[in-house]
Amino acid sequence: MRPLWRLNKYLYKYKGLLLLGIVFTVISNVFVIIPAQLVRLAIDYVVESFSFFRPLQLGGLGESAREVFLKFVLVFGVLILAMALLRGFFLFLIRQTIIIMSRRIEYDMKNEIYEKYQSLPLSFYRKNSTGDLMARISEDVSRVRMYLGPAIMYGLNLLILFPLVISYMVTVNAELTLYSLLPLPILSLSIYFVNNLINERSEKIQKSLSGLSTFVQEAFSGIRVLKAFVREKDSLRDFADASEDYKVKSIRLTKVNALFFPLIMALVGISTIITVYIGGIQVINGEIGYGVIAEFILYVNILTWPVTSLGWVTSIIQRAAASQTRINEFLDEKNTIVSTHNLKDEISGKITFRDLTFIYPDSGIKALDHVSFEIQAGQTLGVIGTTGSGKSTIANLLMRMYDPTEGGIQIDGKPIEEFDISFLRKNIGFVPQDVFLFSDTIGNNIAFGLDEANQEIIEQAAKDADVYQNIIDFPKGFDTMLGERGITLSGGQKQRVSIARAIAKGPKILILDDCLSAVDTKTENVILNAMKKIMENRTSVIISHRVSSAKLADQIIVLDDGKIIERGNHQELMNLKGTYAELYEKQTQAGEAVDSEL
């Protein structure tokens, strides 16, 4: 139960609903006991009435007596019906308080977890899968809600009903109480055992279904590859195997489920038989009336569901505790990327890296090794290097997705740690190598970084990114809806929309992380020439494996295995005849070869 203690703050927040739920539970259980008492009184009245009815009938007063008896029986019937209706009304109120409380807590929990997710650093997402993140905010929260709703509701009902009913039964007949309730503990233990089997097999089915869903999702996402390599039959066979596993586990669960109600009915039947047998002996001995037997049979049936629910509630609590433990793991994660002074001073764009070393905390890979450089505000820096040389790490550190292991970064001469993180990132326009577009309109994707959408700014950003003509060629223009991850657009169009999104918010610092890799050399030159105007009076960092992307930069650094091996402008590096010049020659020759083939 310890992991569930964290939920007490929510129970305290909604204490009004919880207290009302407790009051309504007490009242509803009072209306459970009264009908059973009325049944006892009605049966005893009818039995005793028959002893008077015979002499009255012989005396000629049979019809009058019969009418009086029927009136009293009708009164009992109306009272029992009224009690049932009142109990039903208060059961409705219980659900309107406790179950609604659980839904509100579920809402609060999901918001708390999502807010926590938003605040955690990039390193957290590198070591945790998306599926696991989704499971904790959906399935785990749903299991916890079952504890806060049904488990608390039925648990309260059990705690209130049991002492209320049993204490009254003991006052009526202690011996009959003992015998009639004898099978109930066995029932509770049996249900607990069956529930555990159900939960265990349900978990296996859930995992099997998850695997099946993942398989289908991958098959549909990669349908082009499947068809291209003619692997449809293999995919179908693998799906059939996965479906067979799911079917077998589902049938095993159905077999266990089949035990549930027969087990309840069998033990209730045994309890009823014992009650009738022991009660019958006591009636014969003149110790009790006939109505007591009927009353106790009703009490046994009344107590059956709470006792049955005991095993079910225990299983819910166990599962909720396990889920809350998983939720707490993420809620207890600490965000090390915090601002020291929350500075919001206007940024000019001067960037300084001082003897910076960075090792990725999750993998231990050294991405940058004692890197130092400086860019004046309004200048452009080109970062060239092969795959794995540490180029993208520079972009991540500039946006404070990570903090350096050693050394430091300064913006306008101030440590980057002093700036308010949101303020810093709003002043940086970032175009990632792996473009991600949302399933929304093209216009809304470009306006993503703006506080308020402005059509003029959106269109100008699209023109600057050389994607305006492509967009207006669509029937709906900027209102064109994109498919999942922007699948509606080609690779080059997606990258140019991503560039438009970055420049639309007018950032002081612009980072292009190999964002022109999906466009040809001609289109790349068109975009870069169009962006010259955008880069004026704005600090720009062009990260690329293509020399052509960086040759217009005021300063270029060449990275290899996390170290700067060359630096200077394009002409200076060409004169060095080193790695940069070699890359330029290779890429130029490759481009000419492609052009000649075309």
Side-chain angles (χ1 to χ4, degrees), residues 389-592:
S389 59
K391 305 187 301 296
S392 294
T393 303
I394 289 175
N396 285 331
L397 292 170
L398 271 173
M399 292 187 297
R400 260 205 105 191
M401 297 297 180
Y402 297 95
D403 278 337
T405 308
E406 295 177 21
I409 303 171
Q410 291 184 344
I411 304 290
D412 295 341
K414 299 166 187 172
I416 197 170
E417 294 84 5
E418 293 185 1
F419 285 93
D420 177 83
I421 295 172
S422 296
F423 176 77
L424 174 71
R425 290 173 183 166
K426 280 184 178 180
N427 279 277
I428 297 176
F430 176 58
V431 186
Q433 180 179 356
D434 184 17
V435 177
F436 182 91
L437 298 178
F438 295 93
S439 298
D440 202 342
T441 64
I442 296 176
N444 286 342
N445 268 282
I446 295 174
F448 188 70
L450 300 173
D451 293 329
E452 290 184 14
N454 183 305
Q455 190 61 31
E456 189 177 330
I457 293 174
I458 292 169
E459 289 182 8
Q460 186 58 49
K463 289 174 183 176
D464 292 336
D466 194 37
V467 74
Y468 179 79
Q469 192 60 46
N470 294 113
I471 295 172
I472 61 171
D473 284 343
F474 288 118
K476 293 185 179 179
F478 284 89
D479 293 325
T480 302
M481 286 294 296
L482 299 183
E484 187 177 356
R485 300 178 71 89
I487 198 170
T488 311
L489 305 176
S490 68
Q493 288 171 340
K494 283 195 287 187
Q495 286 193 323
R496 282 176 283 165
V497 169
S498 182
I499 292 170
R501 178 172 62 189
I503 60 181
K505 64 178 184 175
K508 297 293 184 181
I509 299 170
L510 183 63
I511 303 173
L512 308 177
D513 185 6
D514 212 4
C515 63
L516 300 176
S517 59
V519 298
D520 55 58
T521 308
K522 182 181 176 182
T523 306
E524 178 188 41
N525 287 328
V526 170
I527 295 173
L528 287 173
N529 288 328
M531 291 186 69
K532 277 183 182 178
K533 184 174 67 175
I534 307 299
M535 292 178 182
E536 285 179 9
N537 302 318
R538 177 177 287 138
T539 307
S540 303
V541 180
I542 302 173
I543 298 168
S544 180
H545 67 278
R546 282 184 184 174
V547 173
S548 55
S549 296
K551 68 181 182 181
L552 301 176
D554 299 301
Q555 181 187 167
I556 301 169
I557 59 173
V558 182
L559 289 177
D560 183 39
D561 198 22
K563 297 179 180 178
I564 296 178
I565 56 173
E566 293 178 6
R567 71 175 75 214
N569 60 34
H570 173 71
Q571 195 56 51
E572 289 170 350
L573 292 175
M574 289 299 293
N575 294 336
L576 277 177
K577 299 189 181 301
T579 303
Y580 180 87
E582 187 179 339
L583 279 172
Y584 184 77
E585 292 295 334
K586 283 181 180 178
Q587 291 176 10
T588 304
Q589 289 171 8
E592 289 173 355

Side-chain angles (χ1 to χ4, degrees), residues 294-306:
E295 182 181 16
F296 270 63
I297 290 172
L298 285 174
Y299 286 142
V300 167
N301 281 277
I302 287 166
L303 292 174
T304 297
W305 169 243

Side-chain angles (χ1 to χ4, degrees), residues 49-60:
S49 297
F50 269 113
S51 62
F52 292 109
F53 182 71
R54 291 280 183 187
L56 288 171
Q57 192 176 32
L58 292 171

